[in-house]
Amino acid sequence: MSITVVDGDDVALFQGVTMRMRNAAAACAGLAALTSLTGCTVPSAGLTGITVTEDGRPVGVLMVCHDHIDGALLYTDSAGSGRDAAEEGGSEDAGRWSSSKPVTGFASWPLTTGGQGWRVDGPMPATLQPRRTYHLFGGTDDDSWSTADVSFTPEQLAALAPGQVRYFAGDVRGADDEGYVTGTIAQFRAACRDD
């Protein structure tokens, strides 16, 4: 074994080169992540909402502002909760539906049974897990369009009355910290005209 003696200038040079390499690697990783996020986004053609029947069963609602939607997917965060966990890829499918014809304009369907032109392709759980966040959105078979998702917990679902719709509205008065509002079906339908 040999031992190399270095002076203080060599150590400082080595530390400087190492720090620049780490900074360059971090910058490249950040650029790669940003590029991958912007390249995979499906453009939005409308909104997704959630409401309930008189007996509290969940009903999906879509308002397609342009083009069409072919089906819908419900997924849940498998690690953590909220948008951060979903963005990290920690999610699992919890239900899937397809429409008998392309959806344009307004559509609604019972999530537990389908109907009104909607078929259950992957049934949702009979009971949603407490304090777990679920996301529902619509999309096309070829991934050319989707609808803005609606995020909800079973507790938020239970707080809805028939005719009330929870949906994403962004940074508007009355929205929660994540940009979701609860409004009437008429307000949900009118949200396309607000874009």
Side-chain angles (χ1 to χ4, degrees), residues 115 136 141:
L136 178 66
D141 292 337

Side-chain angles (χ1 to χ4, degrees), residues 68 83 95 152 185:
H68 76 279
R83 288 188 174 273
F152 62 94
I185 290 176

Side-chain angles (χ1 to χ4, degrees), residues 41-192:
T41 302
V42 177
S44 179
L47 303 169
T48 309
I50 190 79
T51 187
V52 294
T53 61
E54 290 291 334
D55 59 356
R57 288 181 288 151
V59 175
V61 291
L62 295 176
M63 187 62 217
V64 182
C65 306
H66 59 83
D67 296 287
H68 76 279
I69 296 298
D70 298 313
L73 174 71
L74 178 70
Y75 67 95
T76 184
D77 303 328
S78 59
S81 63
R83 288 188 174 273
D84 292 339
E87 289 170 359
E88 291 171 8
S91 65
E92 55 191 58
D93 289 358
R96 184 179 293 272
W97 301 264
S98 58
S99 178
S100 58
K101 60 182 180 181
V103 176
T104 58
F106 180 79
S108 67
W109 74 102
L111 297 185
T112 54
T113 61
Q116 298 171 303
W118 288 82
R119 180 181 71 232
V120 177
D121 297 326
M124 65 180 285
T127 304
L128 300 178
Q129 294 182 15
R131 295 176 305 282
R132 193 164 207 182
T133 302
Y134 292 83
H135 309 270
L136 178 66
F137 74 96
T140 54
D141 292 337
D142 65 359
D143 293 329
S144 58
W145 297 103
S146 68
T147 56
D149 79 324
V150 61
S151 169
F152 62 94
T153 64
E155 296 78 14
Q156 290 165 328
L157 189 63
L160 290 174
Q164 289 183 318
V165 179
R166 177 177 167 82
Y167 62 97
F168 183 76
D171 188 17
V172 298
R173 175 181 258 186
D176 66 15
D177 292 341
E178 293 184 334
Y180 293 98
V181 297
T182 298
T184 66
I185 290 176
Q187 289 169 322
F188 174 73
R189 292 177 76 137
C192 274

